[in-house]
C-alpha cells in the first residue's frame, strides 16, 4: 500500500479525476487508509509518546528507522515518539529545539520515504 511521492496536493489526488468511477473509489479508499495511519502516527506520537514503537511499525520499518537514526548518530527509536520523530526527519523536519512538533504533512512525506526504504530492505532480505 504505497503511493507515489506526495505533491503539494497530497498523493497526486488531483490526477484521479480523469479515471473511471471504480478506479476513483479504489484510489480514495487506499488513500483514506494511508491518511488515517498518518494521522494516528502524528497524534499518538504527541499524546502517548511512551508507547512502544512496535505498536504501529513492522519489524522491517523499525529496522530501517533504527539504521537511519544510527547513520545520523542518534539512538535507535524504541518509543513511539522517537519513531515518529525519525519519520518526520525523513520528511524534512529539522528537529531543532525551538521547532514545534511535526505535523501531518511532514509525517506523510517521511512515511512515503520509509515505505520505499522498507521495500528495499525487504527485497534485500529476500535476495540474501
Amino acid at each position: 500500500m504505497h503511493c507515489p511521492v506526495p505533491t503539494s496536493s497530497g498523493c497526486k489526488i488531483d490526477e484521479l479525476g480523469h479515471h473511471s468511477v471504480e478506479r476513483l473509489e479504489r484510489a480514495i479508499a487506499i488513500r483514506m487508509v494511508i491518511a488515517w495511519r498518518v494521522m494516528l502516527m502524528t497524534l499518538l506520537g504527541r499524546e502517548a509518546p511512551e508507547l512502544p514503537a512496535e505498536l504501529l511499525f513492522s519489524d522491517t520499518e523499525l529496522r530501517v528507522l533504527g539504521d537511519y537514526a544510527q547513520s545520523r548518530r542518534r539512538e535507535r527509536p524504541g518509543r513511539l515518539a522517537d519513531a515518529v520523530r525519525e519519520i518526520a526527519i525523513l520528511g524534512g523536519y529539522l528537529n531543532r529545539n525551538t521547532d514545534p512538533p511535526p505535523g501531518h504533512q511532514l509525517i506523510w512525506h517521511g512515511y512515503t520515504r520509509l515505505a520505499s526504504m522498507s521495500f528495499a530492505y525487504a527485497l534485500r532480505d529476500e535476495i540474501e
Side-chain angles (χ1 to χ4, degrees):
M1 195 166 30
H2 173 69
C3 64
V5 176
T7 63
S8 60
S9 65
C11 195
K12 297 188 179 187
I13 204 78
D14 50 332
E15 295 177 9
L16 295 176
H18 306 291
H19 298 290
S20 69
V21 172
E22 294 82 16
R23 285 186 70 188
L24 184 59
E25 287 174 343
R26 282 193 304 268
I28 288 171
I30 290 170
R31 283 164 176 82
M32 285 177 61
V33 171
I34 295 169
W36 172 82
R37 181 169 175 156
V38 166
M39 288 183 66
L40 185 65
M41 271 187 251
T42 306
L43 296 176
L44 281 180
R46 291 179 190 172
E47 300 297 323
E50 296 299 323
L51 288 174
E54 293 84 11
L55 183 69
L56 288 182
F57 301 102
S58 70
D59 292 341
T60 303
E61 289 172 330
L62 289 174
R63 206 169 81 213
V64 169
L65 289 174
D67 290 351
Y68 179 74
Q70 282 190 319
S71 74
R72 302 296 191 266
R73 297 185 182 176
R74 292 187 297 270
E75 289 185 32
R76 299 179 83 77
R79 302 176 320 136
L80 184 60
D82 300 332
V84 171
R85 186 190 67 242
E86 288 301 326
I87 289 174
I89 291 169
L90 280 171
Y93 184 62
L94 298 176
N95 196 33
R96 298 175 295 209
N97 290 336
T98 57
D99 288 341
H104 300 301
Q105 191 166 9
L106 279 171
I107 301 297
W108 176 274
H109 287 280
Y111 185 66
T112 301
R113 289 193 64 200
L114 175 63
S116 297
M117 294 165 75
S118 296
F119 182 68
Y121 266 55
L123 281 176
R124 183 193 67 189
D125 290 347
E126 281 184 26
I127 292 171
E128 292 177 351

